[in-house]
Amino acid sequence: MNDGIAWLAEGGTSGTGYCVTLARGLEPEELVRRLARDSAPVSLGQYTGYDLDTYLDQRERERRRSDSVAVRYGASGDLAFAVTDGYWPGEMPTGPLLGASKDGARVFRLYYESQNPKLPPPEFSYFHDGRYMCGFDMYMHTWSHEITGTSPELVQEAVLAAGIPDESERDVAHAKSLDVVERTFRLSLPREQVLHGKLPSALIQGQASA
């Protein structure tokens, strides 16, 4: 079953929103290794999202630090996925995804800090073979209408056809944008598995004293 990604607009993957990385051309373990960047990821075993949040909260209290970022990961068809948990808001820049997309990989980032008091828009970014291909704010009405990257034409026509730049309702623009991205790039994330199932998990930041 293809669940698509539009369901993320209904509440994300946690109470803080969502930070989801999808990749075509990488195995899930390799995606996690690339997301960890300078330090090797630390395997944590199988967790539901709720149980992983509980574990990370306890870990932060014991360490008296707030730097733990973990991912739950797996595969959906030909896509590897990594769903971020922990201290990720403001800590998951897209710059490192240039490196994550090397060797011909196609990497997609979906990012939304739903509890940020500044209410930044949800964001989409696409990287391929070490290049930033395109990205845009998934609520354009009072934010940027620009589709950035070296190949904005990949999504521009579909974004305009969906009326996203003129959509004044934030939630509607968000859902329409995810639908456009889903159809354009054939993206999917297994809803039931992500929201309620157990998935392999690993620390990608704050690995010291794991």
Side-chain angles (χ1 to χ4, degrees):
M1 178 180 175
N2 186 330
D3 289 336
I5 58 170
W7 63 266
L8 287 169
E10 299 175 14
T13 59
S14 70
T16 52
Y18 59 78
C19 178
V20 174
T21 307
L22 301 163
R24 189 168 278 121
L26 295 177
E27 294 298 318
E29 292 78 10
E30 176 61 15
L31 173 61
V32 172
R33 189 190 68 78
R34 294 188 183 192
L35 291 177
R37 293 181 289 166
D38 299 330
S39 300
V42 176
S43 178
L44 299 175
Q46 299 263 339
Y47 279 91
T48 65
Y50 176 82
D51 289 342
L52 182 57
D53 282 340
T54 301
Y55 166 77
L56 293 175
D57 286 345
Q58 179 63 33
R59 184 173 188 267
E60 300 295 81
R61 287 194 295 271
E62 292 174 354
R63 297 171 71 238
R64 298 183 181 180
R65 297 176 63 181
S66 296
D67 64 351
S68 296
V69 178
V71 292
R72 299 166 63 236
Y73 60 94
S76 176
D78 65 342
L79 287 164
F81 66 84
V83 178
T84 313
D85 286 281
Y87 193 69
W88 62 265
E91 300 296 321
M92 296 294 290
T94 57
L97 296 183
L98 289 170
S101 69
K102 66 183 181 180
D103 302 324
R106 301 179 185 274
V107 177
F108 310 87
R109 167 66 56 82
L110 305 161
Y111 186 96
Y112 182 36
E113 296 181 24
S114 62
Q115 300 303 308
N116 188 323
K118 296 182 180 180
L119 283 179
E123 302 172 1
F124 165 74
S125 304
Y126 166 42
F127 303 82
H128 173 50
D129 207 18
R131 294 174 294 159
Y132 171 47
M133 303 299 291
C134 63
F136 65 98
D137 289 340
M138 293 194 285
Y139 172 56
M140 293 182 166
H141 187 64
T142 56
W143 292 78
S144 173
H145 286 215
E146 183 182 8
I147 299 175
T148 57
T150 60
S151 301
E153 70 277 3
L154 292 173
V155 292
Q156 188 164 19
E157 184 175 340
V159 167
L160 294 175
I164 294 166
D166 298 320
E167 179 55 64
S168 61
E169 292 293 329
R170 183 185 184 93
D171 291 345
V172 174
H174 186 183
K176 283 184 175 181
S177 296
L178 285 171
D179 182 64
V180 163
V181 169
E182 175 185 317
R183 288 186 287 106
T184 300
F185 298 104
R186 298 181 293 110
L187 301 184
S188 183
L189 187 67
R191 180 173 185 164
E192 186 65 22
Q193 194 174 18
V194 168
L195 294 183
H196 305 295
K198 289 187 176 182
L199 288 166
S201 305
L203 280 169
I204 60 169
Q205 284 183 207
Q207 293 97 317
S209 303

